[in-house]
Amino acid sequence: MEELLSNLSQALVGKVYHHDDLQYTESLTSYFSAQESQIRPACIVRPQSAADVATAVSLLVQANQREGIGSAKFAIRSGGHTCFAGSANEPDGITIDLRDLNTIEVDKNSSSPQVAIGSGASWCDVYRALDPLGLGVPGGRHSQVGVGGLTLGGRVGLVCDNVVEYEIVLASGDIIRASETEHQDLLRALRGGSNNFGIVTRFVFRTIPLSQLWGGTLIQPLETKGQQLQAFHDFVANPSYDAHASLIHSFGMSAERGSGFVNSIVYTKPESEPAVIKPFTSIEPAYVNTLRELSLTELTREQDAFNENGLCQVMIATTFFLSLPLLHRTFDLWQASCDTVRDRAGIIWSMSFQPIAPLVVSHSPFLQSVLGEAPKPIVIAQLTGTWTEARDSHELEATALKLVADIDAAAAGAQPSAHTGYLYLNYAHPSQSVFGTGERREWLRGVSRRYDPDAVFQRCVLGGFKLW
């Protein structure tokens, strides 16, 4: 390790930080979860170009070849929003922090403008650059989320499908581009394939015309459960699904704020109270109603109020085919789990429903590759928990795992079965098998062998979700 650290410091002068450097501490404290912040890598590398990344990767591979593949482990960090320990930080290894790769370049001269975004940029950076131009790209709902991790996780809502080119550093040290004209297999694999093939340093996205939105947050009592779940069901089941409407339907319990439903609503036209949203706005009473005309930047900053960095956290999700009885069953299982966790210090325990309508699948090659035709609407059910005391982590993680196992059992036992077999990577728990055991995983393994024959990104990068 000492030889590797010396080689990195000499090759990347001023870009390698150690325990006593302020930049080292800043990097650790900027992670979303306490579990990631508490990890201490041997050093943190802050590349400022794809060439810097290639240099770091080449030195890491050489170290692994000297001592055996897997001997010098490293992590890849973009925004640092994934919460489980080791997802983007490597204990006693090398953490590559990509946040200085944050350039945003818009091709304004094209009739179909594209934007090239460094993988270390945050979505707030992106929206802030595009809002004044009347442009947008599908992306993260929280401003601090990194472009890299979310996009490579196959973000539902056409984010990964909107990428037309990836710039990626391979284990060989080569910098290549994957697009519809070159390395098409890698282009397809990177849509939802995570960090299994190399380090992506830049994405090129198609943009869409986007001016002001109509959206915000509705917070309403937990006692409106019947109206809420019916409204969500009807919103998703609507055969004339409105592609301009987006909804995250949550219910949560907070030790400090109490309980309630939180509807995060977006309509991609500046149209006040569109008809598709009225079933939610008509539910009384509303503790909070921030619905208004606003920019995408403003909207994501508002969502940040629901997230606090530096807390212990668990996140886990599953999916099921839309069913009103199953929505009620999921709510009841979540409510029962609240009795187990409510006395833990600083606890926030929430379940969010996100819809995947057949219309969305029909426009998403990525979703078609994992879901097939998906003729029925699908619901992503995401459990998020945060708390302040590390000593509670084991019990709370176990409670989260049991809750999702119970939801899966309820879905499998429904008539007909509501089990989909799909897991959304960005919300998954490390115990879950994101890539499954089927044809898609085998195809991804084949792509990995072609671009990373020594399995560097399988055996040396342990964070994320692996193909083996």
Side-chain angles (χ1 to χ4, degrees):
M1 179 61 73
E2 289 303 318
E3 181 180 357
L4 172 59
L5 294 176
S6 175
N7 290 341
L8 285 168
S9 296
Q10 290 177 36
L12 296 166
V13 177
K15 303 168 188 175
V16 179
Y17 302 108
H18 302 275
H19 291 243
D20 55 351
D21 291 320
L22 290 176
Q23 294 91 335
Y24 180 97
T25 302
E26 183 279 328
S27 182
L28 294 185
T29 56
S30 65
Y31 281 95
F32 184 56
S33 74
Q35 292 98 316
E36 280 282 77
S37 292
Q38 290 164 2
I39 289 174
R40 295 294 182 266
C43 76
I44 295 173
V45 178
R46 292 285 297 263
Q48 296 179 7
S49 66
D52 285 347
V53 175
T55 297
V57 169
S58 295
L59 291 171
L60 283 159
V61 170
Q62 290 168 21
N64 277 284
Q65 290 171 338
R66 286 195 302 270
E67 303 296 332
I69 299 296
S71 58
K73 295 181 174 59
F74 61 103
I76 307 160
R77 182 255 170 98
S78 174
H81 204 261
T82 300
C83 64
F84 61 85
S87 55
N89 202 5
E90 182 58 44
D92 300 319
I94 311 300
T95 293
I96 301 176
D97 184 339
L98 300 175
R99 286 179 299 150
D100 288 336
L101 302 184
N102 56 9
T103 57
I104 300 168
E105 301 172 351
V106 182
D107 175 12
K108 303 176 187 176
N109 298 319
S110 170
S111 58
S112 302
Q114 296 179 348
V115 56
I117 304 172
S119 60
S122 70
W123 286 106
C124 183
D125 298 331
V126 176
Y127 301 147
R128 206 161 38 211
L130 295 181
D131 277 346
L133 303 176
L135 298 173
V137 291
R141 58 190 164 112
H142 296 292
S143 68
Q144 62 185 326
V145 172
V147 170
L150 181 136
T151 306
L152 292 172
R155 169 67 177 158
V156 174
L158 310 183
V159 176
C160 65
D161 291 302
N162 221 40
V163 179
V164 298
E165 181 182 282
Y166 297 83
E167 179 184 77
I168 182 171
V169 176
L170 303 179
S172 63
D174 293 331
I175 304 171
I176 67 170
R177 295 180 178 182
S179 68
E180 293 291 353
T181 59
E182 52 185 338
H183 305 295
Q184 295 95 329
D185 55 346
L186 187 56
L187 172 73
R188 180 182 163 196
L190 287 168
R191 290 172 173 161
S194 192
N195 60 9
N196 285 294
F197 310 99
I199 300 180
V200 174
T201 52
R202 189 184 67 164
F203 304 84
V204 179
F205 289 87
R206 284 185 293 265
T207 66
I208 56 174
L210 187 67
S211 55
Q212 292 290 92
L213 311 167
W214 188 85
T217 303
L218 274 176
I219 302 180
Q220 294 151 315
L222 213 59
E223 290 73 24
T224 61
K225 176 186 78 169
Q227 295 168 276
Q228 296 279 353
L229 297 180
Q230 185 69 59
F232 176 79
H233 174 273
D234 295 347
F235 173 88
V236 184
N238 188 344
S240 301
Y241 187 84
D242 189 338
H244 292 287
S246 173
L247 170 69
I248 299 177
H249 182 67
S250 305
F251 37 93
M253 179 272 295
S254 165
E256 298 177 357
R257 305 175 192 170
S259 302
F261 277 89
V262 180
N263 289 299
S264 300
I265 296 168
V266 182
Y267 198 74
T268 56
K269 292 180 178 179
E271 178 181 323
S272 180
E273 296 225 12
V276 69
I277 300 301
K278 286 184 179 178
F280 297 96
T281 57
S282 65
I283 297 173
E284 297 287 349
Y287 297 146
V288 174
N289 182 342
T290 69
L291 295 170
R292 65 201 187 279
E293 189 174 312
L294 74 174
S295 69
L296 189 51
T297 301
E298 292 173 301
L299 182 72
T300 55
R301 284 176 175 164
E302 179 175 301
Q303 291 297 306
D304 289 346
F306 296 99
N307 289 269
E308 180 181 348
N309 284 11
L311 299 175
C312 299
Q313 185 177 37
V314 65
M315 184 182 295
I316 184 170
T318 187
T319 64
F320 50 80
F321 290 113
L322 180 68
S323 156
L324 185 58
L326 192 51
L327 295 177
H328 279 271
R329 179 60 177 152
T330 301
F331 178 93
D332 292 342
L333 289 167
W334 165 81
Q335 194 166 44
S337 74
C338 289
D339 293 334
T340 304
V341 305
R342 70 174 66 253
D343 62 343
R344 298 299 181 261
I347 189 71
I348 299 175
W349 196 251
S350 65
M351 177 69 70
S352 296
F353 290 155
Q354 298 186 48
I356 307 176
L359 178 65
V360 173
V361 178
S362 71
H363 288 85
S364 170
F366 165 67
L367 287 175
Q368 290 168 23
S369 73
V370 296
L371 293 172
E373 293 300 317
K376 296 187 290 185
I378 289 172
V379 177
I380 301 174
Q382 171 201 358
L383 186 281
T384 303
T386 59
W387 59 96
T388 56
E389 299 294 336
R391 64 173 178 268
D392 294 327
S393 295
H394 179 76
E395 180 182 353
L396 290 169
E397 285 222 16
T399 302
L401 289 167
K402 182 180 185 304
L403 172 57
V404 169
D406 289 344
I407 295 170
D408 284 338
Q415 297 296 327
S417 173
H419 183 65
T420 71
Y422 167 60
L423 285 172
Y424 173 43
L425 185 149
N426 283 326
Y427 296 161
H429 186 272
S431 66
Q432 295 180 293
S433 179
V434 168
F435 297 112
T437 58
E439 181 180 333
R440 174 171 165 76
R441 186 183 70 170
E442 292 309 308
W443 180 82
L444 289 169
R445 285 178 169 182
V447 177
S448 173
R449 292 187 188 101
R450 285 194 289 279
Y451 290 94
D452 183 16
D454 293 327
V456 169
F457 287 91
Q458 301 300 310
R459 299 165 62 187
C460 304
V461 181
L462 303 186
F465 296 88
K466 302 290 100 177
L467 298 174
W468 278 274

